[in-house]
């Protein structure tokens, strides 16, 4: 992989005294992001649904970073109760949060409604991260200047959001749900920026490109899963290089004035014409708040923090 693809991302910025939260951090890009941040001196909170994998990831990160300031917390995006429990523990235990990296990306999940009445692919890839970020915003604001980085995908260009049917089971293919969710990540970024502008919290979205991961691990078809994951190993980008992109957006002063924008290879990149439709992004924000059940006590927009 040519070095110049990532040359804009490189930085020697230290993060001593900073606190970062990375979701999906037990493998793939998320694990590499957590390692990168920890090596810079940050306290890193890693979040995932599997306690055993969390423990393994924590050991890997601490060994690389040469310090033990790594916290592992269970977080299952298939359960909004789990998200709320995670947020409550974080708000109780952490006095600050300088950086949130939403790194969730899953395909091949069962097409059904979760316990929260949300379509599984949409909840794991979009609704869960929205709720997490919304509920953590007061801590991010109190820690300002702080940043949020939403990892999306080029698949967003195939995404489409129909407010009447975006949560329907059986309406789309598994891949189409993924595309729709990744479009949601972009539009959530754009709208959040409008609502928190001038409050010291910057928010960015990005396309990481294909990495040498096991992205297709949830597929039921074993032969297809092996074939697609083998393809990623063949043509994908090295994960430690891919991880430089969300880290760049999370810490580099060069993007200070680019909040609300979309990036690829640490450069501004076109996202979607939907992002320019102010009514659409506002309606998606409001509908998402309704679907995830934001309560009056949780709604910092009404409280005017």
């Amino acid at each position: 992989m040519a070095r110049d693809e990532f040359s804009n991302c490189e930085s020697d910025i230290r993060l001593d005294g900073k606190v970062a939260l990375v979701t999906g951090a037990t493998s793939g890009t998320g694990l590499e992001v957590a390692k990168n941040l920890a090596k810079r001196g940050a306290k890193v909170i890693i979040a995932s649904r599997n306690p055993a994998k969390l423990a393994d990831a924590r050991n890997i990160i601490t060994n690389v970073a040469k310090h033990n300031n790594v916290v592992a917390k269970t977080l299952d995006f298939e359960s909004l109760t789990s998200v709320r429990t995670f947020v409550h523990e974080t708000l109780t235990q952490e006095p600050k949060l300088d950086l949130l990296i939403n790194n969730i990306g899953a395909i091949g999940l069962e097409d059904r409604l979760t316990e929260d009445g949300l379509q599984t692919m949409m909840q794991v890839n979009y609704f869960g991260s929205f709720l997490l970020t919304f509920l953590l915003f007061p801590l991010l604001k109190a820690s300002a200047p702080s940043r949020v980085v939403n990892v999306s995908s080029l698949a967003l260009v195939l995404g489409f959001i129909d407010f009447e049917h975006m949560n329907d089971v059986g309406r789309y293919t598994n891949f189409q749900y993924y595309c729709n969710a990744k479009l949601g990540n972009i539009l959530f970024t754009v709208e959040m920026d409008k609502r928190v502008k001038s409050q010291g919290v910057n928010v960015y979205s990005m396309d990481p490109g294909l990495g040498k991961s096991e992205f297709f691990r949830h597929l039921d078809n074993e032969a297809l899963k092996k074939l697609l994951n083998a393809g990623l190993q063949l043509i994908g980008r090295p994960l430690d290089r891919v991880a430089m992109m969300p880290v760049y957006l999370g810490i580099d002063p060069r993007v200070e004035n680019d909040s609300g924008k979309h990036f690829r290879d640490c450069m501004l990149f076109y996202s979607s014409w939907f992002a320019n439709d102010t009514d659409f992004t506002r309606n998606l924000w409001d509908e998402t708040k309704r679907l995830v059940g934001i309560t009056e006590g949780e709604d910092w927009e009404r409280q005017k923090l």
Side-chain angles (χ1 to χ4, degrees), residues 16-286:
D16 303 280
K18 302 293 186 181
V19 179
L21 166 57
V22 185
T23 63
T26 56
S27 63
T29 302
L31 177 58
E32 293 300 325
V33 168
K35 287 161 61 176
N36 188 313
L37 295 170
K39 285 192 292 184
R40 296 172 185 269
K43 175 181 180 179
V44 179
I45 304 166
I46 57 173
S48 187
R49 64 185 298 176
N50 188 311
K53 290 183 177 180
L54 274 171
D56 290 343
R58 185 183 182 278
N59 288 336
I60 292 171
I61 297 165
T62 55
N63 287 337
V64 168
K66 309 301 182 185
H67 67 75
N68 293 318
N69 210 6
V70 180
V71 178
K73 291 180 177 288
T74 304
L75 172 61
D76 183 0
F77 280 122
E78 280 196 38
S79 167
L80 298 186
T81 298
S82 174
V83 175
R84 285 185 162 87
T85 298
F86 177 91
V87 170
H88 175 74
E89 291 177 354
T90 302
L91 295 179
T92 301
Q93 299 169 6
E94 302 296 334
K96 64 182 297 191
L97 180 61
D98 301 285
L99 173 61
L100 167 60
I101 296 183
N102 289 312
N103 178 59
I104 291 299
I107 196 167
L109 303 177
E110 185 180 355
D111 183 11
R112 58 174 174 80
L113 293 180
T114 67
E115 63 186 25
D116 304 294
L118 301 175
Q119 201 278 339
T120 307
M121 285 287 294
M122 291 296 293
Q123 179 163 333
V124 170
N125 288 293
Y126 170 60
F127 292 123
S129 293
F130 178 97
L131 180 62
L132 176 71
T133 307
F134 192 94
L135 297 182
L136 285 175
F137 176 74
L139 182 58
L140 288 162
K141 183 178 184 296
S143 308
S146 56
R147 296 186 184 185
V148 177
V149 180
N150 294 317
V151 179
S152 184
S153 165
L154 188 60
L156 72 90
V157 300
L158 300 177
F160 181 78
I161 293 178
D162 180 339
F163 291 114
E164 294 184 2
H165 301 291
M166 68 173 175
N167 195 44
D168 289 0
V169 168
R171 186 171 185 86
Y172 305 109
T173 64
N174 199 275
F175 179 67
Q176 187 62 55
Y177 282 119
Y178 178 77
C179 296
N180 296 350
K182 288 303 172 182
L183 175 60
N185 296 150
I186 295 288
L187 304 184
F188 149 45
T189 301
V190 171
E191 187 63 23
M192 181 175 178
D193 175 63
K194 296 174 187 175
R195 294 171 185 248
V196 305
K197 196 177 291 291
S198 302
Q199 297 191 61
V201 182
N202 280 11
V203 54
Y204 310 89
S205 62
M206 57 156 286
D207 167 23
L210 294 175
K212 295 180 181 293
S213 67
E214 294 185 351
F215 175 69
F216 299 100
R217 63 189 178 278
H218 296 294
L219 294 180
D220 290 332
N221 187 317
E222 289 297 325
L224 180 61
K225 176 167 61 177
K226 289 181 180 179
L227 177 63
L228 291 174
N229 282 330
L232 287 180
Q233 299 305 311
L234 181 64
I235 66 173
R237 299 167 157 191
L239 292 179
D240 61 334
R241 303 296 282 173
V242 174
M244 294 170 63
M245 292 187 276
V247 172
Y248 168 80
L249 292 176
I251 70 174
D252 203 289
R254 288 175 286 180
V255 295
E256 182 64 36
N257 296 320
D258 292 317
S259 181
K261 297 180 181 178
H262 184 63
F263 286 76
R264 179 184 172 91
D265 297 344
C266 299
M267 296 183 290
L268 288 170
F269 194 73
Y270 176 77
S271 57
S272 166
W273 67 269
F274 285 107
N276 298 318
D277 187 330
T278 56
D279 290 337
F280 194 89
T281 60
R282 181 181 64 250
N283 291 337
L284 177 61
W285 178 277
D286 292 339

